[in-house]
Amino acid sequence: MVTRTAVSAFAMLTVAAGAGAEMGEEEYQSQARPLSAVERAELQRRLEQEQAEAAQRRSRQETLERQRQLALQAWLAARPAEERLLRERCTPCHGLGVVEPARHGRLGWTWTIARMRWWHGAQVDTGEIVRLAAHLARRAREGRPAVEAPPDPETLPASESFRQHQEGRVEPRPPP
């Protein structure tokens, strides 16, 4: 509930503030002095220079990002067929964090992958099941991850592998 004192205090503030609330015509005008033609031209030149530098920075960043994407694609294309197959067939449904800790033999992986196909509709044909099971069992035996982690994207363009791909010395492997 609003008290009578609060209303009268608000009314007094409104009346007091209202006296100076309107700006006069002179207050709308800028207090800065007008620029001379030389100053205006210099300001315009600096603005254009800053815009050109910003465009160059953006262009360099975009080029670097494209190079990193190409390097990553080349790196992925150069991976063994089984790794690419594992990425294509298994990771759409779950991450590699589900695959990595499981340490099955070839038969265990065959049944696991077949179960994914039968029960969950994984798009894996019989030949791919055999290849994936052998790959996963071999990697588990060797104590290696099922899929190698890609290199840090920040270092890709500077890597020797990237330079070799850019120079055409390394051909990507054809898909399985």
Short mmCIF file of all heavy atoms in Angstrom, two decimals, residues 46-71:
data_model
loop_
_atom_site.label_atom_id
_atom_site.label_comp_id
_atom_site.label_asym_id
_atom_site.label_seq_id
_atom_site.Cartn_x
_atom_site.Cartn_y
_atom_site.Cartn_z
N ARG A 46 42.24 7.86 -41.97
CA ARG A 46 42.50 6.95 -40.85
C ARG A 46 41.40 5.91 -40.72
O ARG A 46 41.68 4.73 -40.47
CB ARG A 46 42.63 7.74 -39.54
CG ARG A 46 43.99 8.36 -39.37
CD ARG A 46 44.18 8.87 -37.98
NE ARG A 46 43.01 9.70 -37.60
CZ ARG A 46 42.96 10.51 -36.57
NH1 ARG A 46 43.99 10.63 -35.78
NH2 ARG A 46 41.88 11.22 -36.31
N LEU A 47 40.16 6.31 -40.90
CA LEU A 47 39.04 5.38 -40.83
C LEU A 47 39.16 4.30 -41.92
O LEU A 47 39.00 3.11 -41.66
CB LEU A 47 37.71 6.13 -40.96
CG LEU A 47 36.45 5.27 -40.93
CD1 LEU A 47 36.34 4.55 -39.60
CD2 LEU A 47 35.22 6.13 -41.18
N GLU A 48 39.46 4.72 -43.15
CA GLU A 48 39.62 3.77 -44.26
C GLU A 48 40.80 2.83 -44.00
O GLU A 48 40.73 1.64 -44.30
CB GLU A 48 39.79 4.52 -45.58
CG GLU A 48 38.51 5.18 -46.04
CD GLU A 48 38.72 6.12 -47.21
OE1 GLU A 48 39.89 6.30 -47.66
OE2 GLU A 48 37.72 6.69 -47.68
N GLN A 49 41.89 3.37 -43.44
CA GLN A 49 43.05 2.54 -43.13
C GLN A 49 42.70 1.50 -42.06
O GLN A 49 43.05 0.33 -42.19
CB GLN A 49 44.21 3.42 -42.64
CG GLN A 49 45.46 2.65 -42.31
CD GLN A 49 46.59 3.57 -41.82
OE1 GLN A 49 46.40 4.79 -41.69
NE2 GLN A 49 47.72 2.98 -41.55
N GLU A 50 41.99 1.90 -41.02
CA GLU A 50 41.57 0.96 -39.98
C GLU A 50 40.65 -0.12 -40.54
O GLU A 50 40.77 -1.29 -40.19
CB GLU A 50 40.88 1.70 -38.84
CG GLU A 50 41.81 2.53 -37.98
CD GLU A 50 41.06 3.36 -36.95
OE1 GLU A 50 39.84 3.16 -36.76
OE2 GLU A 50 41.71 4.23 -36.33
N GLN A 51 39.74 0.28 -41.43
CA GLN A 51 38.85 -0.69 -42.04
C GLN A 51 39.61 -1.67 -42.93
O GLN A 51 39.34 -2.87 -42.92
CB GLN A 51 37.75 0.02 -42.85
CG GLN A 51 36.75 0.74 -41.99
CD GLN A 51 35.78 1.59 -42.80
OE1 GLN A 51 36.04 1.94 -43.95
NE2 GLN A 51 34.64 1.92 -42.19
N ALA A 52 40.59 -1.18 -43.66
CA ALA A 52 41.41 -2.06 -44.52
C ALA A 52 42.22 -3.03 -43.67
O ALA A 52 42.32 -4.23 -44.00
CB ALA A 52 42.33 -1.22 -45.40
N GLU A 53 42.79 -2.56 -42.57
CA GLU A 53 43.56 -3.44 -41.68
C GLU A 53 42.66 -4.50 -41.06
O GLU A 53 43.05 -5.66 -40.95
CB GLU A 53 44.25 -2.61 -40.60
CG GLU A 53 45.40 -1.77 -41.11
CD GLU A 53 45.92 -0.79 -40.09
OE1 GLU A 53 45.37 -0.72 -38.96
OE2 GLU A 53 46.88 -0.06 -40.41
N ALA A 54 41.46 -4.10 -40.66
CA ALA A 54 40.51 -5.07 -40.09
C ALA A 54 40.12 -6.11 -41.14
O ALA A 54 40.02 -7.31 -40.83
CB ALA A 54 39.27 -4.35 -39.56
N ALA A 55 39.92 -5.70 -42.38
CA ALA A 55 39.58 -6.64 -43.46
C ALA A 55 40.73 -7.60 -43.71
O ALA A 55 40.52 -8.80 -43.92
CB ALA A 55 39.22 -5.88 -44.72
N GLN A 56 41.96 -7.10 -43.66
CA GLN A 56 43.14 -7.97 -43.84
C GLN A 56 43.24 -8.98 -42.71
O GLN A 56 43.53 -10.15 -42.95
CB GLN A 56 44.42 -7.13 -43.91
CG GLN A 56 44.60 -6.39 -45.20
CD GLN A 56 45.85 -5.52 -45.18
OE1 GLN A 56 46.42 -5.23 -44.12
NE2 GLN A 56 46.27 -5.09 -46.37
N ARG A 57 43.00 -8.54 -41.48
CA ARG A 57 43.04 -9.46 -40.34
C ARG A 57 41.99 -10.56 -40.49
O ARG A 57 42.26 -11.73 -40.26
CB ARG A 57 42.83 -8.70 -39.02
CG ARG A 57 44.07 -8.02 -38.50
CD ARG A 57 43.90 -7.54 -37.06
NE ARG A 57 42.76 -6.65 -36.87
CZ ARG A 57 42.78 -5.33 -37.06
NH1 ARG A 57 43.89 -4.75 -37.46
NH2 ARG A 57 41.70 -4.61 -36.85
N ARG A 58 40.77 -10.15 -40.88
CA ARG A 58 39.69 -11.13 -41.10
C ARG A 58 40.07 -12.12 -42.20
O ARG A 58 39.87 -13.31 -42.08
CB ARG A 58 38.38 -10.44 -41.43
CG ARG A 58 37.59 -9.97 -40.24
CD ARG A 58 36.17 -9.56 -40.62
NE ARG A 58 36.08 -8.64 -41.75
CZ ARG A 58 36.20 -7.32 -41.66
NH1 ARG A 58 36.43 -6.75 -40.49
NH2 ARG A 58 36.09 -6.57 -42.74
N SER A 59 40.63 -11.60 -43.27
CA SER A 59 41.03 -12.44 -44.40
C SER A 59 42.10 -13.44 -43.98
O SER A 59 42.04 -14.63 -44.33
CB SER A 59 41.53 -11.57 -45.55
OG SER A 59 41.99 -12.37 -46.60
N ARG A 60 43.09 -12.97 -43.21
CA ARG A 60 44.15 -13.88 -42.72
C ARG A 60 43.56 -14.95 -41.82
O ARG A 60 43.93 -16.13 -41.92
CB ARG A 60 45.23 -13.09 -41.99
CG ARG A 60 46.22 -12.42 -42.90
CD ARG A 60 47.46 -11.93 -42.15
NE ARG A 60 47.16 -11.00 -41.09
CZ ARG A 60 47.12 -9.68 -41.22
NH1 ARG A 60 47.37 -9.12 -42.39
NH2 ARG A 60 46.85 -8.90 -40.19
N GLN A 61 42.64 -14.56 -40.94
CA GLN A 61 42.01 -15.53 -40.04
C GLN A 61 41.21 -16.55 -40.82
O GLN A 61 41.26 -17.75 -40.54
CB GLN A 61 41.09 -14.83 -39.04
CG GLN A 61 41.78 -14.31 -37.80
CD GLN A 61 42.49 -15.38 -37.04
OE1 GLN A 61 43.71 -15.37 -36.99
NE2 GLN A 61 41.79 -16.31 -36.46
N GLU A 62 40.45 -16.10 -41.83
CA GLU A 62 39.65 -17.02 -42.64
C GLU A 62 40.54 -17.97 -43.42
O GLU A 62 40.26 -19.16 -43.51
CB GLU A 62 38.74 -16.23 -43.59
CG GLU A 62 37.63 -15.50 -42.88
CD GLU A 62 36.89 -14.50 -43.78
OE1 GLU A 62 37.27 -14.36 -44.97
OE2 GLU A 62 35.95 -13.87 -43.27
N THR A 63 41.65 -17.47 -43.96
CA THR A 63 42.59 -18.31 -44.70
C THR A 63 43.20 -19.35 -43.78
O THR A 63 43.29 -20.53 -44.13
CB THR A 63 43.69 -17.45 -45.35
OG1 THR A 63 43.08 -16.53 -46.24
CG2 THR A 63 44.70 -18.30 -46.09
N LEU A 64 43.61 -18.92 -42.61
CA LEU A 64 44.20 -19.84 -41.64
C LEU A 64 43.19 -20.90 -41.23
O LEU A 64 43.53 -22.09 -41.15
CB LEU A 64 44.69 -19.06 -40.41
CG LEU A 64 45.43 -19.86 -39.35
CD1 LEU A 64 46.67 -20.51 -39.95
CD2 LEU A 64 45.82 -18.95 -38.20
N GLU A 65 41.95 -20.52 -41.01
CA GLU A 65 40.92 -21.48 -40.63
C GLU A 65 40.66 -22.47 -41.76
O GLU A 65 40.50 -23.66 -41.53
CB GLU A 65 39.62 -20.76 -40.25
CG GLU A 65 38.55 -21.66 -39.70
CD GLU A 65 38.98 -22.47 -38.49
OE1 GLU A 65 39.78 -21.99 -37.67
OE2 GLU A 65 38.51 -23.63 -38.37
N ARG A 66 40.63 -21.98 -43.01
CA ARG A 66 40.47 -22.89 -44.16
C ARG A 66 41.63 -23.87 -44.24
O ARG A 66 41.45 -25.05 -44.50
CB ARG A 66 40.36 -22.10 -45.46
CG ARG A 66 38.95 -21.64 -45.78
CD ARG A 66 38.82 -21.14 -47.21
NE ARG A 66 39.77 -20.14 -47.62
CZ ARG A 66 39.66 -18.83 -47.39
NH1 ARG A 66 38.61 -18.36 -46.75
NH2 ARG A 66 40.58 -17.98 -47.79
N GLN A 67 42.85 -23.37 -44.02
CA GLN A 67 44.03 -24.23 -44.05
C GLN A 67 43.94 -25.30 -42.96
O GLN A 67 44.26 -26.46 -43.19
CB GLN A 67 45.30 -23.41 -43.87
CG GLN A 67 45.65 -22.57 -45.06
CD GLN A 67 46.86 -21.69 -44.80
OE1 GLN A 67 47.23 -21.43 -43.65
NE2 GLN A 67 47.46 -21.21 -45.86
N ARG A 68 43.49 -24.90 -41.78
CA ARG A 68 43.36 -25.87 -40.68
C ARG A 68 42.32 -26.93 -41.02
O ARG A 68 42.51 -28.11 -40.76
CB ARG A 68 42.99 -25.15 -39.39
CG ARG A 68 44.14 -24.39 -38.81
CD ARG A 68 43.75 -23.68 -37.54
NE ARG A 68 44.89 -22.95 -37.02
CZ ARG A 68 44.81 -21.83 -36.34
NH1 ARG A 68 43.64 -21.30 -36.08
NH2 ARG A 68 45.90 -21.23 -35.91
N GLN A 69 41.20 -26.50 -41.60
CA GLN A 69 40.16 -27.46 -41.98
C GLN A 69 40.66 -28.43 -43.04
O GLN A 69 40.41 -29.63 -42.97
CB GLN A 69 38.91 -26.73 -42.48
CG GLN A 69 38.17 -25.99 -41.40
CD GLN A 69 37.66 -26.91 -40.31
OE1 GLN A 69 37.20 -28.01 -40.57
NE2 GLN A 69 37.76 -26.46 -39.07
N LEU A 70 41.38 -27.90 -44.04
CA LEU A 70 41.95 -28.77 -45.08
C LEU A 70 42.97 -29.74 -44.49
O LEU A 70 43.01 -30.91 -44.88
CB LEU A 70 42.60 -27.92 -46.18
CG LEU A 70 41.64 -27.16 -47.09
CD1 LEU A 70 42.41 -26.22 -48.00
CD2 LEU A 70 40.80 -28.13 -47.89
N ALA A 71 43.79 -29.24 -43.59
CA ALA A 71 44.79 -30.10 -42.96
C ALA A 71 44.13 -31.20 -42.15
O ALA A 71 44.55 -32.36 -42.18
CB ALA A 71 45.73 -29.29 -42.08
#
